[in-house]
Amino acid sequence: KKLLFSAVASTLRRSTMASSKYIQVAALLFTVIGIIVAKKADLKKKASEGLQKKILANQVELSGGSFTFGTLDTDVEGWREYAEKGKEENQRIEDMKESVGAETFDMINEQLAGMNRKGMETQRVENRDGSQEAVISRVEPFAIDKTVVTIDMFRKFVKDTGYSTEAENFQWSFVHEMCLSPEMIELVDHEDGLGRVKDSPHWCGVYGAYWRRPEGPDSSIKGKGNYPAVHTSWNDAVAYCNWAGMRLPTEKEWEYAARGGLEDELYPWGEGPDDENFSTYLNSWEGKFPKENLKHDGYIGVAPADAYEPNAFGLYNTVGNVWEWVGGGTEDKRILRGGSFVDTIDGSANHLLRVSTRMENSGDSGSHNTGGVTLPPSLSVKHHGGSPAVADRVHPADGHAQRQHSTCRWLCFYRTWPETQKITSVLLCCFTLMHRMLTLCIARAHHPWSFMQAFDARAP
C-alpha cells in the first residue's frame, strides 16, 4: 500500500507539469483506482438485517440460574495432594513478594529470565481437564449459538468486510501432521520449511494454512460450509462478533449452556455409555496419540459443526471437535473451552475431555482445532479454538522462517496468499507499470530530448 500511494503521489506531482490534458485525466483515474485497491477492511461495517436474523435463528434462549461450574473430576488419585501442594507454593510466592516488595520481586524475575530460568509466579491449581474444583455459580438469562461459527457464516463476514484473519497475516498456521498430505509434510520438513513444534512434533507449521485452506494450500473448503471456521484467533472471533452485532459468551455462560441443564455430570449428555464407547457422542482422539487415530467417531480431524446429537439445550459439540473462545482473560491469556479432536476421554493424551475442559492461550493464537460462537449483545455468543501457544510460533522475522522468507519470497507467499491479496498484488504490479509509462509520457512531452535519460533514471 505504501508503494502504491507513493506511486500515486509521484504521478500527481508530475501530471501538474504535463501539457497534455489526457495525461492529467489518466493520472487522476490512476489515483482513484489506487485508492480503491488500497482501501482497508471495513471493520465498522455491520451485518445486514437479514443476516442478523439468520444468526439469531441459529440461537437458543436460556433462562439462566444456578449451576455447577468447574471440574467434578477431583477424585483422581493424587489430585487433592497436588492441589494442596500448588496452593502452598502460591502462598509462598505471595509471602516472598510481600516481604521483598513488588519492585524487587519483579527485578528478581527479570534476572531469572535473563538466565533462561523460570520466574516465580503463582499458578492455577487445576485438574487434567484444565479446570478448577467445582463451585455453585449463577448466570442471568441469555441466548447462544447452537453451533460454532461455520465456514458459511464466516465467509459472509469476510465478504462483507474484507477482513483478514491473523493466520492470513502471519501467512501460516499450525496443522496436525495426520491431517496433512505427504506433499505438505515434505514442505514442512524441508530445510526452508517452518518445521514442527519442538516438544510437540505432531504440530506442523504450514505456510498458507488459514480458514479457506485448513490443511494447507492443497486443501479446500468446498462442500464444507457446515464445518467450523478454524485457524481463528480470539481477536478474529471478536471482529466477527462486532460485525454480527453479537459478543462472546462469558466463561460461566458457556459452561452453563454446555452442560445442557444437567447437574453433577461430566458430559453434556450425562453419564458415559456402559460399554465405554464414546464414538457416537463426540469427536475425540481414539488410538495411540499422535500416530494412530482409529477413526471410530468418523473423523481424523475436524467434524461438521452439527455432527452428533445436541445436548438438552440444543447445542452441538460442546465437548471435543474444536476449542471455543470465550470472553474475559488478558491479552496474553485468553480462555478456550470444550477441548478438541486431539483431546481424549480418558486423559491419556492432551486434555481430559469433560464439559469443564479449559485452557488458556494468547489472543492472536489459532490453529487447525480452534473456532467459536456468539451471543446477542444483551445476551450471549460462542467461538471455537485450541492450539499450540503463539510462543511456539516461528515468526517470519526469526531464524528458520526468515530463510524461507528471503529465499523464495515471491513464489511461496504468492502461492499462499488468500485470493483477495493475490488480486491486489497483481493489480499493484499493473499500476506500477502504468506509473512508469505515465512518467515517461510526461517527460517526453516536456523534454523529448531527455526521454532516454528519464527512462534510465526511473527504470525498476
Side-chain angles (χ1 to χ4, degrees):
K1 289 179 182 177
K2 289 180 180 178
L3 179 62
L4 184 59
F5 279 122
S6 175
V8 169
S10 176
T11 302
L12 280 176
R13 285 197 302 270
R14 296 181 184 283
S15 66
T16 57
M17 299 184 297
S19 58
S20 172
K21 291 183 179 180
Y22 295 106
I23 294 178
Q24 294 181 19
V25 171
L28 181 61
L29 179 61
F30 170 55
T31 302
V32 173
I33 295 174
I35 292 173
I36 293 173
V37 172
K39 183 176 179 288
K40 293 182 179 179
D42 186 2
L43 298 183
K44 294 182 179 179
K45 191 171 184 178
K46 302 295 182 182
S48 66
E49 186 176 341
L51 278 175
Q52 288 187 348
K53 286 182 179 179
K54 187 174 182 179
I55 294 170
L56 290 172
N58 187 46
Q59 294 191 330
V60 291
E61 295 185 6
L62 305 178
S63 59
S66 299
F67 72 107
T68 304
F69 176 66
T71 184
L72 294 165
D73 229 356
T74 55
D75 294 329
V76 177
E77 183 179 356
W79 187 86
R80 292 190 181 280
E81 291 79 4
Y82 159 77
E84 189 62 34
K85 184 178 179 180
K87 289 177 182 178
E88 290 176 0
E89 180 65 17
N90 285 343
Q91 187 60 52
R92 185 184 70 82
I93 292 174
E94 289 294 338
D95 291 343
M96 178 180 291
K97 186 175 183 179
E98 185 177 350
S99 175
V100 302
E103 187 175 346
T104 303
F105 184 82
D106 291 340
M107 288 177 61
I108 293 173
N109 273 337
E110 288 178 6
Q111 290 178 352
L112 289 172
M115 299 165 61
N116 291 324
R117 295 176 61 183
K118 186 178 180 181
M120 296 180 291
E121 58 180 14
T122 56
Q123 302 291 330
R124 280 178 54 88
V125 179
E126 57 191 30
N127 195 19
R128 290 183 302 161
D129 61 4
S131 192
Q132 295 178 308
E133 192 166 0
V135 296
I136 300 300
S137 192
R138 181 179 178 81
V139 294
E140 297 300 317
F142 65 99
I144 189 168
D145 290 351
K146 297 177 184 177
T147 70
V148 298
V149 175
T150 63
I151 289 173
D152 278 345
M153 287 309 301
F154 200 78
R155 180 161 38 197
K156 288 182 172 67
F157 158 62
V158 172
K159 184 178 180 180
D160 210 23
T161 62
Y163 183 80
S164 292
T165 62
E166 299 204 88
E168 291 172 79
N169 295 333
F170 279 121
Q171 300 292 349
W172 70 280
S173 188
F174 285 111
V175 182
H176 194 282
E177 178 183 16
M178 286 196 68
C179 300
L180 292 173
S181 67
E183 292 77 14
M184 283 293 102
I185 293 176
E186 186 178 350
L187 288 175
V188 167
D189 294 333
H190 191 270
E191 63 177 3
D192 290 324
L194 284 174
R196 303 160 182 258
V197 176
K198 182 178 179 181
D199 297 326
S200 304
H202 49 276
W203 282 114
C204 303
V206 180
Y207 276 117
Y210 70 114
W211 69 274
R212 285 187 188 272
R213 299 283 184 265
E215 290 88 35
D218 62 351
S219 63
S220 172
I221 56 173
K222 186 176 181 180
K224 295 185 176 182
N226 64 331
Y227 276 62
V230 293
H231 295 291
T232 47
S233 69
W234 187 90
N235 298 327
D236 298 331
V238 170
Y240 174 91
C241 290
N242 291 338
W243 167 79
M246 305 288 169
R247 66 172 175 85
L248 288 172
T250 66
E251 191 172 3
K252 290 182 178 180
E253 286 170 338
W254 185 94
E255 187 164 328
Y256 174 86
R259 288 184 176 275
L262 299 177
E263 290 294 328
D264 300 330
E265 298 289 354
L266 300 177
Y267 311 107
W269 55 81
E271 296 180 355
D274 293 335
D275 60 359
E276 296 299 315
N277 180 13
F278 288 84
S279 61
T280 59
Y281 289 81
L282 79 167
N283 182 17
S284 64
W285 195 273
E286 300 164 301
K288 191 173 181 180
F289 188 86
K291 295 293 185 180
E292 177 190 45
N293 191 327
L294 301 177
K295 202 179 174 182
H296 291 322
D297 54 26
Y299 304 91
I300 290 179
V302 179
D306 56 356
Y308 313 103
E309 292 295 318
N311 67 12
F313 286 162
L315 273 67
Y316 293 84
N317 292 333
T318 55
V319 174
N321 204 27
V322 291
W323 285 98
E324 302 179 15
W325 292 107
V326 297
T330 65
E331 184 177 351
D332 295 328
K333 292 184 178 182
R334 297 298 183 186
I335 304 164
L336 301 114
R337 297 300 309 265
S340 76
F341 68 85
V342 301
D343 299 307
T344 53
I345 283 289
D346 59 4
S348 59
N350 305 314
H351 283 79
L352 181 72
L353 282 175
R354 299 289 187 266
V355 76
S356 52
T357 302
R358 178 190 194 275
M359 71 174 258
E360 294 175 346
N361 211 339
S362 59
D364 60 355
S365 293
S367 76
H368 192 211
N369 59 337
T370 315
V373 295
T374 58
L375 311 174
S378 57
L379 305 173
S380 306
V381 178
K382 167 183 178 180
H383 203 86
H384 62 269
S387 61
V390 77
D392 295 328
R393 191 183 287 276
V394 182
H395 194 277
D398 301 322
H400 200 53
Q402 177 61 29
R403 294 199 299 273
Q404 171 69 27
H405 182 79
S406 60
T407 55
C408 51
R409 178 176 180 178
W410 176 253
L411 173 63
C412 174
F413 286 93
Y414 178 81
R415 288 179 61 193
T416 61
W417 274 0
E419 283 75 6
T420 54
Q421 287 178 307
K422 288 179 183 177
I423 295 170
T424 303
S425 65
V426 172
L427 288 175
L428 177 57
C429 292
C430 294
F431 292 147
T432 303
L433 291 173
M434 286 172 59
H435 168 248
R436 300 295 185 194
M437 292 175 65
L438 285 170
T439 301
L440 295 176
C441 290
I442 293 168
R444 189 172 186 180
H446 280 277
H447 305 287
W449 55 270
S450 63
F451 175 73
M452 290 307 298
Q453 205 174 26
F455 178 85
D456 291 338
R458 297 180 178 86

